[in-house]
C-alpha cells in the first residue's frame, strides 16, 4: 500500500461535520431534527453563512462599475467566486462560468438562446423521462416557438434510462440531448459519458442537469463529455438564488444574449447595441453577489473534505437505508437503479405519500412527499408521487434508524 498523500485532508467524520451546520442542532417540537430532504435543498455550513454575512457587513457594493474601494473588494470577491466554480467544474477557463439564479435559469438560458438561434422545424430535442420539470418545460417552450419537437427517452422499470431505446432515437434530427446526472426523484446516476458519446455520433449537443449530481460527486465537465452543465448553489451547501451555467466556449461565443440590460452590453445606442464578452454577455443586471460569494465558500468547504470518503459515506447511508427497507414488508421502493446516489424513493402500502410525510414530520423526520417536479416519471410508474428520503454528507445511520422508527409508526397509523 502506498503512503497517504501528505496533503490528504483528515478522514471524514459525519458527526464532526454536523458541528459545522448550526441548523442541525434545531429541534422540531420536542424532537431533534432529522433532515432527510437534501435533494430539495441542503443545509448551510457556518462558513457559508459567515461569508454571506461578512460580505454584507464589510464589503457590499455593486460590482465592475464604481471607482471606490468597496466596489473593488466586491468585484474581487465576485470574480474569485467565479474562479472557484471554474476549478470545481474543472473548466478550462473562467469565462465559461456564467452566473444564473440556479439550474432552472441556466437551462432556460440555453433553451432560449441556443435553441432560439439554432432549432428549426423537424429538429428534435431528446430528454429522458426522468427529467425534472426544469429540464422539460424550457424545451417545450422553445419547441413551440421554433417548430422543433421534444421527444422523451424511455425509462425502464428499474428507473434507469433505456439505453437501447435511446440509441434507436438518436439520428441526425436530434440536435441536443438533455439529461440529468442524477435523478432527483429516484437517485439514478445516469451513464452520462456513454450517453454523450452516443449523442456526439449524430452531432447532437449534450446538456447535463447537474442539480443533484454536483452535490454528490466531484464534477469534471470534460470527462462527462457535455457541452453545457447546469447546477444550483443551494443544493451544494450554498445559498439559494445563485447557480451556474457552464458551456463550451465556442458555443457560448456564438449564442445571442438571453436577457438585455446593464453589464451585458459593450455599447448601446438607439441605432443598435453590441454585446459584452463572455461571461458578461449572459449576465444582464446586478448579479447575486452575496450568493456567488456564499457559493464559493460552500465549494471551498466541500473541497476541504475528503471527497472520496464523503462519497463512500453517502453510499453507506443509501445501502443501509435499502437494507432497513427490506425489513419493512409494507414498504415498496420505486425504481431500483443499479447506480444511485443520495436518494431513496418509496411508497408505504396504499398510504398517500403526503400522509406519510406528515406523520414523519410530527416525529421530527423531514422528507419530501409528492411528484418531485417529475410528473412524467410518476406517470411512467403509474403513481401520483412517492415519499423521498435524500441524504447529505452530514446525515448518519442514526437518522436512518429514526426514519424507520417513524415509518413503523406511520404503518400503525395509516395502514
Ligand atoms: N434539476 C433537478 C434534477 C433538480 O433536482 C432541481 C431541483 O430540485 C432542479 C433541476 C431545479 O433546480 P433549481 O430550483 O435550483 O433551479
Amino acid at each position: 500500500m502506498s503512503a497517504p498523500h501528505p496533503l490528504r485532508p483528515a478522514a471524514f467524520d459525519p458527526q464532526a461535520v454536523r458541528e459545522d451546520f448550526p441548523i442541525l442542532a434545531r429541534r422540531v417540537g420536542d424532537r431533534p431534527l432529522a433532515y432527510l430532504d437534501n435533494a430539495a435543498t441542503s443545509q448551510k455550513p457556518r462558513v457559508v453563512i459567515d461569508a454571506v454575512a461578512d460580505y454584507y457587513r464589510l464589503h457590499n457594493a455593486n460590482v465592475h462599475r464604481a471607482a471606490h474601494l468597496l466596489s473593488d473588494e466586491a468585484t474581487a470577491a465576485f470574480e474569485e467566486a467565479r474562479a472557484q466554480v471554474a476549478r470545481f467544474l474543472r473548466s478550462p477557463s473562467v469565462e465559461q462560468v456564467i452566473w444564473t439564479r440556479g439550474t432552472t435559469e441556466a437551462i432556460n438560458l440555453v433553451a432560449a438562446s441556443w435553441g432560439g438561434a439554432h432549432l428549426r422545424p423537424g429538429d428534435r430535442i431528446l430528454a429522458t423521462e426522468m427529467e425534472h420539470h426544469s429540464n422539460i418545460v424550457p424545451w417545450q417552450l422553445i419547441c413551440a416557438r421554433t417548430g422543433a419537437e421534444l421527444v422523451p427517452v424511455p425509462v425502464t422499470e428499474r428507473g434507469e434510462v433505456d439505453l437501447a431505446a435511446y440509441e434507436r432515437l438518436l439520428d441526425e434530427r436530434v440536435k441536443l440531448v438533455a439529461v440529468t446526472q442524477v435523478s432527483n426523484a429516484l437517485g439514478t446516476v445516469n451513464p452520462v459519458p456513454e450517453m454523450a458519446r452516443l449523442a456526439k455520433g449524430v452531432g447532437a449537443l449534450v446538456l447535463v442537469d447537474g442539480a443533484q449530481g454536483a452535490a454528490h460527486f466531484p464534477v469534471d465537465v470534460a470527462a462527462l463529455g457535455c457541452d453545457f452543465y447546469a447546477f444550483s448553489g443551494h443544493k451544494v451547501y450554498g445559498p439559494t438564488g445563485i447557480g451556474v451555467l457552464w458551456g463550451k466556449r465556442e458555443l457560448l461565443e456564438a449564442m445571442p444574449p438571453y436577457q438585455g440590460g446593464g453589464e451585458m452590453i459593450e455599447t448601446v445606442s438607439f441605432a443598435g447595441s453590441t454585446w459584452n464578452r463572455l461571461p458578461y454577455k449572459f449576465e444582464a443586471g446586478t448579479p447575486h453577489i452575496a450568493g456567488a460569494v456564499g457559493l464559493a465558500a460552500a465549494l471551498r468547504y466541500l473541497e476541504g473534505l475528503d471527497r472520496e470518503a464523503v462519497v463512500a459515506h453517502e453510499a453507506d447511508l443509501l445501502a443501509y437505508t435499502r437494507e432497513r427497507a427490506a425489513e419493512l414488508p409494507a414498504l415498496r421502493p420505486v425504481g431500483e437503479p443499479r447506480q444511485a446516489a443520495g436518494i431513496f424513493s418509496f411508497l408505504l402500502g396504499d398510504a398517500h405519500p403526503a400522509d406519510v410525510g406528515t406523520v414523519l414530520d410530527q416525529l421530527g423526520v423531514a422528507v419530501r412527499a409528492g411528484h418531485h417536479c417529475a410528473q412524467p416519471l410518476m406517470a411512467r410508474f403509474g403513481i401520483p408521487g412517492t415519499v423521498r428520503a435524500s441524504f447529505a454528507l452530514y446525515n448518519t445511520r442514526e437518522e436512518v434508524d429514526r426514519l424507520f422508527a417513524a415509518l413503523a409508526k406511520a404503518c400503525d397509523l395509516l395502514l
Side-chain angles (χ1 to χ4, degrees), residues 39-41 100-107 130-135 180-185 209-213 230-235 240-243 343 368 372-373 388:
T41 198
T100 65
R101 284 189 292 132
T103 306
T104 303
E105 190 180 40
I107 298 172
M130 72 173 81
E131 296 310 308
H132 187 281
H133 297 164
S134 295
N135 208 14
T180 192
Q181 196 178 4
V182 173
S183 158
N184 69 305
D209 172 347
Q212 298 296 334
F231 77 99
S232 299
H234 70 100
K235 296 193 200 276
T240 53
I242 187 77
I343 289 169
R368 177 100 175 240
H372 316 299
C373 298
R388 179 186 74 183

Side-chain angles (χ1 to χ4, degrees), residues 58-80:
L58 299 170
H59 309 290
N60 177 53
N62 212 329
V63 289
H64 297 145
R65 290 191 269 264
H68 58 81
L69 180 68
L70 291 190
S71 178
D72 287 347
E73 289 175 4
T75 303
F78 182 65
E79 292 303 334
E80 173 43 40

Side-chain angles (χ1 to χ4, degrees), residues 86-400:
R87 290 192 290 276
F88 180 73
L89 297 177
R90 308 273 182 272
S91 171
S93 82
V94 174
E95 296 79 24
Q96 289 164 264
V97 173
I98 292 153
W99 297 116
T100 65
R101 284 189 292 132
T103 306
T104 303
E105 190 180 40
I107 298 172
N108 274 279
L109 191 166
V110 177
S113 171
W114 173 84
H118 294 283
L119 291 173
R120 301 281 173 266
D123 288 346
R124 287 182 152 192
I125 303 288
L126 301 187
T128 81
E129 262 180 341
M130 72 173 81
E131 296 310 308
H132 187 281
H133 297 164
S134 295
N135 208 14
I136 297 174
V137 182
W139 303 113
Q140 287 176 328
L141 292 173
I142 199 63
C143 283
R145 267 179 47 201
T146 59
E149 189 189 0
L150 177 62
V151 180
V153 180
V155 163
T156 66
E157 199 57 30
R158 273 186 177 276
E160 298 171 346
V161 172
D162 181 338
L163 283 177
Y166 171 61
E167 278 202 70
R168 282 195 297 275
L169 284 169
L170 278 173
D171 60 29
E172 71 292 341
R173 286 174 297 177
V174 178
K175 302 299 176 217
L176 184 140
V177 173
V179 58
T180 192
Q181 196 178 4
V182 173
S183 158
N184 69 305
L186 305 180
T188 315
V189 179
N190 282 319
V192 170
E194 169 71 355
M195 290 178 72
R197 193 184 59 76
L198 292 167
K200 296 290 143 191
V202 295
L205 300 181
V206 176
L207 177 139
V208 174
D209 172 347
Q212 298 296 334
H216 296 295
F217 305 115
V219 181
D220 181 334
V221 284
L224 286 169
C226 60
D227 298 283
F228 298 107
Y229 186 90
F231 77 99
S232 299
H234 70 100
K235 296 193 200 276
V236 290
Y237 311 101
T240 53
I242 187 77
V244 167
L245 170 68
W246 176 90
K248 287 223 176 109
R249 180 187 283 278
E250 62 278 15
L251 294 169
L252 295 173
E253 298 274 14
M255 280 160 53
Y258 169 54
Q259 294 182 330
E263 192 69 17
M264 50 74 69
I265 52 85
E266 186 184 50
T267 62
V268 177
S269 80
F270 278 98
S273 302
T274 57
W275 315 138
N276 206 338
R277 63 194 158 87
L278 288 178
Y280 310 112
K281 179 172 75 172
F282 294 109
E283 295 181 356
T286 300
H288 185 8
I289 308 161
V293 168
L295 173 53
L299 300 182
R300 275 195 299 277
Y301 177 81
L302 253 186
E303 289 180 345
L305 301 172
D306 180 339
R307 296 294 307 275
E308 261 179 51
V310 171
V311 171
H313 169 63
E314 291 180 357
D316 174 71
L317 288 175
L318 194 55
Y320 183 57
T321 303
R322 286 176 164 177
E323 215 177 286
R324 295 285 330 253
E327 297 161 4
L328 193 60
L331 187 151
R332 178 159 65 91
V334 178
E336 276 183 276
R338 282 164 287 195
Q339 300 292 326
I343 289 169
F344 184 68
S345 238
F346 60 94
L347 293 166
L348 206 58
D350 56 5
H352 195 285
D355 293 337
V356 178
T358 303
V359 173
L360 298 192
D361 179 47
Q362 284 161 1
L363 298 168
V365 179
V367 296
R368 177 100 175 240
H371 55 61
H372 316 299
C373 298
Q375 286 185 5
L377 185 66
M378 297 299 125
R380 154 73 184 79
F381 282 97
I383 54 177
T386 74
V387 184
R388 179 186 74 183
S390 55
F391 304 109
L393 53 85
Y394 42 66
N395 289 125
T396 61
R397 277 185 171 224
E398 289 69 37
E399 288 177 309
V400 175

